[in-house]
């Protein structure tokens, strides 16, 4: 039975059943028929898959999705049900022989060359070069684009988060519930990990892609407990002695002791929250990481207020439903904020959550376990993280529990790049960010815009002309090289005709802007990297795909080859992509040959 499960798991991880030849645009199939009808069955084409602009107002992109492209090629075949559906969908005049032709199609005559997955890539440099029978290569277009577009966008977004967070902060992907459907959620988890995230909340992604799975609990778990009477089990076996420990009694004792240290009355804390944290700690004594912002406390400084104003506040007229506690404090459920009411200062803190957490964590310590930390899901994350860290340090020092000062602080709550940059400036004390919506939906830019263009047919170059120079294609069968300087940083990406000799280390190379005649420079490379490797030929994968962990490492090593000014968040320096002098002349000669000559009258 276990071997059957293992085989099934491997098959699931290897092939997404949605990705099949019919996952395409209708016009690919109608073009295929028109090609077939026109006698182009034996025509051989070269297509380039590339993008024109880097996403997120940045100057780099991470290439991802290659492994899924190879799986698609391996399984490219029209099934009987596919052919039956096409017969029902296409016009009646389609000749029956065309369906027989489709039924026999495979990718055995296709050759795909690609940049290594996880590499930093730039506009105009083809990520994939697809060569082979025109009809087959055409039929691959839409599916290859959908496999590369989101994967590369997502990996790039994740890499940008990793850069602004820094290498010492953990990043967790929490976006499944906000993703564009189940497949979008799975893809987001996979490519967030490639881009530099450390784990995911997505359990299926963890199973399929061997990504570390992380998670805590929701506010609903806390609010499901009302009083201490809701605790159904209070004992926990000691980690070393195996003797039973009464966690409730210990936590209650610690709550009283800690309250005097952090200046929080036990009356300000929620017994229901304490019951929830005790129950969770008993369930997960070695992984106790608690959400602490379910119940907040407003503390008002009434100095200078009239009795009428005091009465309005304590009666809940400040805009929230509230329950008045002792000493003028008001306990309530609401987001953590700082605000003012008249001349009264309002401080919203995690007083209940921090007190109850510290009490349960110290009770766990008495039972031989170490708590992991807390999660904050609302409010002023910089302020609250500093408050939490100072609390942990004070408690740890007071009760001689040194590790308490190092408890993990996780922050979530609609975090984006700008949020992290702002938190960095404010000196936050957050150890881990849980990021969902902005990451998985790529809200800042929802699409990368990869295109798939014909650049050669039967050995003859093809060019697409446009009044928008940015949409003019670079024709012909090409090779791409990355030239490095003596300091190890990448200087420029160079496109050449495949018939040209490769650049040589130490020898001067003329690099030209593909469309601006005056932009040119000589480059003497200290190292030359040929970017393309044949990854599909003769009906099989030529280079075995690397594990996700290796692709993830490739992303970071590739990013390190870029200068910091290219990677910075604000006004990054554009990275240069050039063509050889031979290719420049070839482009412009072909342009003149194909451009229509206008007539004035």
């Amino acid at each position: 039975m276990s071997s059957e499960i293992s085989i099934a798991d491997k098959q699931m991880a290897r092939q997404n059943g949605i990705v099949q030849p019919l996952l395409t645009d209708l016009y690919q199939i109608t073009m295929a028929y028109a090609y077939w009808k026109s006698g182009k069955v034996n025509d051989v084409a070269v297509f380039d898959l590339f993008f024109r602009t880097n996403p997120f107002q940045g100057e780099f992109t991470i290439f991802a999705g290659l492994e899924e492209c190879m799986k698609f090629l391996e399984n490219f075949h029209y099934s009987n049900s596919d052919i039956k559906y096409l017969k029902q969908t296409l016009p009646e005049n389609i000749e029956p022989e065309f369906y027989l032709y489709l039924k026999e199609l495979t990718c055995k005559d296709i050759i795909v060359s690609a940049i290594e997955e996880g590499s930093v890539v730039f506009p105009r440099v083809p990520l994939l070069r697809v060569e082979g029978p025109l009809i087959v290569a055409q039929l691959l277009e839409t599916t290859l684009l959908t496999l590369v577009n989101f994967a590369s966008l997502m990996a790039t977004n994740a890499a940008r988060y990793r850069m602004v967070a820094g290498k010492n902060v953990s990043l967790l992907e929490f976006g499944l519930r906000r993703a564009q459907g189940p497949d979008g959620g799975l893809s987001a988890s996979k490519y967030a990990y490639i881009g530099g995230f450390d784990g995911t909340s997505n359990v299926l992604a963890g199973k399929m892609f061997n990504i570390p799975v992380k998670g805590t609990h929701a506010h609903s778990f806390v609010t499901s407990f009302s009083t201490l009477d809701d605790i159904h089990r209070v004992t926990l076996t000691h980690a070393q002695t195996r003797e039973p420990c009464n966690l409730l009694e210990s936590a209650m004792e610690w709550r009283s002791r800690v309250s005097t240290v952090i200046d929080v009355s036990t009356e300000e804390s929620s017994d229901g929250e304490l019951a929830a944290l005790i129950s969770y700690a008993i369930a997960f004594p070695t992984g106790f990481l608690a959400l602490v912002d379910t119940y907040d406390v407003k503390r008002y400084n009434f100095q200078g207020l009239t009795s009428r104003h005091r009465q309005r506040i304590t009666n809940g007229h400040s805009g929230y439903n509230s329950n008045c506690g002792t000493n003028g404090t008001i306990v309530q459920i609401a987001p953590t904020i700082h605000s003012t009411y008249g001349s009264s200062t309002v401080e919203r803190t995690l007083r209940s959550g921090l007190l109850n957490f510290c009490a349960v964590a110290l009770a766990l310590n008495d039972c031989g376990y170490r708590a992991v930390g807390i999660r904050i899901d609302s409010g002023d994350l910089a302020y609250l993280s500093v408050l939490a860290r100072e609390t942990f340090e004070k408690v740890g020092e007071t009760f001689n529990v040194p590790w308490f000062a190092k408890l993990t602080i996780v922050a979530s709550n609609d975090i984006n790049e700008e949020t992290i940059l702002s938190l960095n400036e404010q000196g936050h004390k957050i150890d881990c960010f849980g990021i969902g919506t902005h990451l998985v939906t790529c809200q800042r830019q929802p699409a990368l815009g990869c295109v798939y263009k014909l650049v050669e047919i039967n050995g003859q170059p093809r060019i697409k002309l446009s009044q928008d120079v940015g949409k003019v294609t670079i024709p012909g069968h090409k090779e791409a090289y990355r030239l490095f300087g003596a300091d190890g940083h990448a200087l420029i990406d160079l496109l050449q005709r495949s018939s040209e000799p490769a650049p040589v280390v130490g020898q001067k190379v003329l690099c030209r802007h593909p469309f601006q005649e005056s932009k040119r420079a000589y480059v003497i490379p200290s190292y030359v990297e040929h970017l393309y490797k044949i990854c599909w030929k003769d009906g099989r994968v030529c280079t075995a795909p690397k594990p996700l962990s290796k692709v993830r490492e490739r992303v970071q090593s590739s990013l390190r080859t870029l200068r910091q000014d290219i990677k910075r968040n604000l006004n990054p320096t554009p990275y240069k992509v050039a063509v050889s002098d031979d290719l420049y002349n070839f482009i412009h000669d072909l342009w003149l040959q194909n451009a229509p000559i206008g007539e004035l009258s």
Side-chain angles (χ1 to χ4, degrees), residues 268 296-300 302 310 312-318 320-333 347-348:
E268 295 181 48
D296 291 332
V297 176
K298 266 188 180 178
R299 303 186 73 200
Y300 291 87
F302 288 133
R310 297 184 192 184
R312 278 176 56 83
I313 294 171
T314 55
N315 284 344
H317 292 293
S318 56
Y320 296 93
N321 293 323
S322 51
N323 299 311
C324 192
T326 59
N327 303 320
T329 59
I330 301 174
V331 182
Q332 53 187 219
I333 305 173
E347 182 188 86
R348 298 293 309 275

Side-chain angles (χ1 to χ4, degrees), residues 26 48 70 81 149 205 242 253 261 290-291 374 436 464 533:
L26 178 63
D48 286 345
M70 295 301 101
S81 64
N149 258 316
R242 312 311 295 170
E253 180 183 342
V261 174
L291 185 59
I374 63 170
K464 177 187 180 295
K533 295 180 176 64

Side-chain angles (χ1 to χ4, degrees), residues 21-36 47-48 52 78 85-86 89-91 94 98 102 134-146 149 450-454 464:
L22 289 192
L23 185 67
T24 190
D25 296 307
L26 178 63
Y27 81 169
Q28 306 291 6
I29 298 172
T30 57
M31 278 194 293
Y33 178 67
Y35 286 144
W36 181 85
F47 286 87
D48 286 345
R52 298 187 177 107
Y78 290 96
Y85 173 76
L86 290 175
T89 304
L90 295 175
I94 301 290
F98 175 67
L102 281 184
L134 171 62
I135 294 177
V136 182
Q138 185 72 70
L139 288 168
L140 299 177
E141 175 182 359
T142 300
T143 316
L144 293 179
L145 285 172
T146 197
N149 258 316
C450 285
V451 294
Y452 187 86
K453 298 298 181 183
L454 178 69
K464 177 187 180 295

Side-chain angles (χ1 to χ4, degrees), residues 60 68 74 123 196 219 239 263 285 525 558:
F60 72 87
E68 296 301 321
E74 279 184 311
H219 292 104
D263 191 27
S558 189

